Amino acid sequence: MTRLPTLAVVGATGAVGTVMLELLSSRKNVWGEIRLIASARSAGRKLSVRGEQVEVVALTPEAFDGVDVAMFDVPDEVSAEWAPIAVSKGAIAVDNSGAFRMDKDVPLVVPEVNPEHVRNRPRGIIANANCTTLAMILSLAPLHREYGLRELMVSSYQAASGAGQIGVDTLHDQLSKVAGDRSAGTRTGDVRRVVGDDLGPFPAPLALNVVPWAGSLRDGGWSSEELKIRNESRKILGLPDLKVSATCVRVPVVTGHSASLHAIFGSEVDADRAREVLEAAPGVVVSDNPAEDEFPTPADAVGTDPTWVGRIRRSLDDPRALDFFVVGDNLRKGAALNTAQIAELIAAEWR
């Protein structure tokens, strides 16, 4: 009888880890033992997965003994240290952080786009893309195959949960403060006055506001999130010279990243044909009937797996350009689901 591989979930108690356990409990079971790993302070907790209570063990080298696949849902610095340790113990690491995404010896995989890259893993590590990139790439890949992508201009509208649980807590705290003051937002500085100095992970108030910044500062005034969109899109699509310009904006949404895309192709596009291409694409749902107020929003996409696409229209000034709007749950396909799908591709090697 074929043995089912052993899976480790590193970061099982975090926000993405919680979603991962839900997915492991609802998707087709391809795993034998599932081992839950977290920091020492979480060791001993019991979490539900596949209808069973499983005790969390501390992150140590010995925790990877007998593990075949290890999924990492932890900060970059933790992955950078521990994914190679898991590999040294015989595991294949699937990493959801940014630690290895641009490493030339680590494939950056989206199963609907480039599943064949899973087997090319010289370091024993496979990287998961950034949540904003994942919200876009499922729609861009089939359009690229149809028309040949040349340039991409993106404005992202990123949810508070992209900054972690502290981002969500900060947004809710700020909303509570402004809810009692209906004049807030009508005068310069009044939102800052009501919210106070506790901005959490954001550089400005998020309630009643949008903040044109996400990530950390990089050369030339670009943010790390903007460069991730550029560099990861190039790598996933196999277009190292793709021209990309991105502006990342944080918006007062709990979960669900959105993006407005202006994509320029090598041949003339047709909006109706583009819609057909997207409707046939795996992992994509088209919601596009503005006459009936039908278009994707984070409030409708949250808790779902696909990338939702709408507002599909050909540019008025360039017959080679298409404008459209995408939304995806940044904790599901943007993090946990894509990681789980990569791991399932690896698990198939045991059959």
Side-chain angles (χ1 to χ4, degrees), residues 138-139 142-143 145-147 270-282 284-288 309 312 322:
L138 292 182
S139 61
L143 292 171
R145 287 191 291 268
E146 183 77 10
Y147 297 115
D270 176 82
D272 289 336
R273 174 56 186 157
R275 196 172 288 107
E276 291 174 356
V277 168
L278 291 166
E279 287 173 341
V284 173
V285 171
V286 174
S287 175
D288 187 32
V309 185
I312 302 165
L322 196 71

Side-chain angles (χ1 to χ4, degrees), residues 292-317:
E292 298 295 332
D293 296 332
E294 183 182 330
F295 31 71
T297 74
D300 301 312
V302 64
T304 70
D305 292 338
T307 286
W308 295 76
V309 185
R311 300 299 320 282
I312 302 165
R313 60 217 188 272
R314 191 169 81 165
S315 171
L316 295 174
D317 302 311

Side-chain angles (χ1 to χ4, degrees), residues 332-346:
R332 291 183 74 86
K333 182 58 178 175
L337 177 59
N338 202 71
T339 306
Q341 289 174 308
I342 295 170
E344 288 168 359
L345 290 176
I346 301 170

Side-chain angles (χ1 to χ4, degrees), residues 213-234:
W213 187 260
S216 53
L217 182 62
R218 295 292 187 265
D219 290 345
W222 295 96
S223 79
S224 58
E225 289 287 310
E226 291 159 351
L227 296 183
K228 286 176 186 178
I229 289 175
R230 176 178 183 263
N231 296 334
E232 293 175 23
S233 296
R234 288 176 159 192

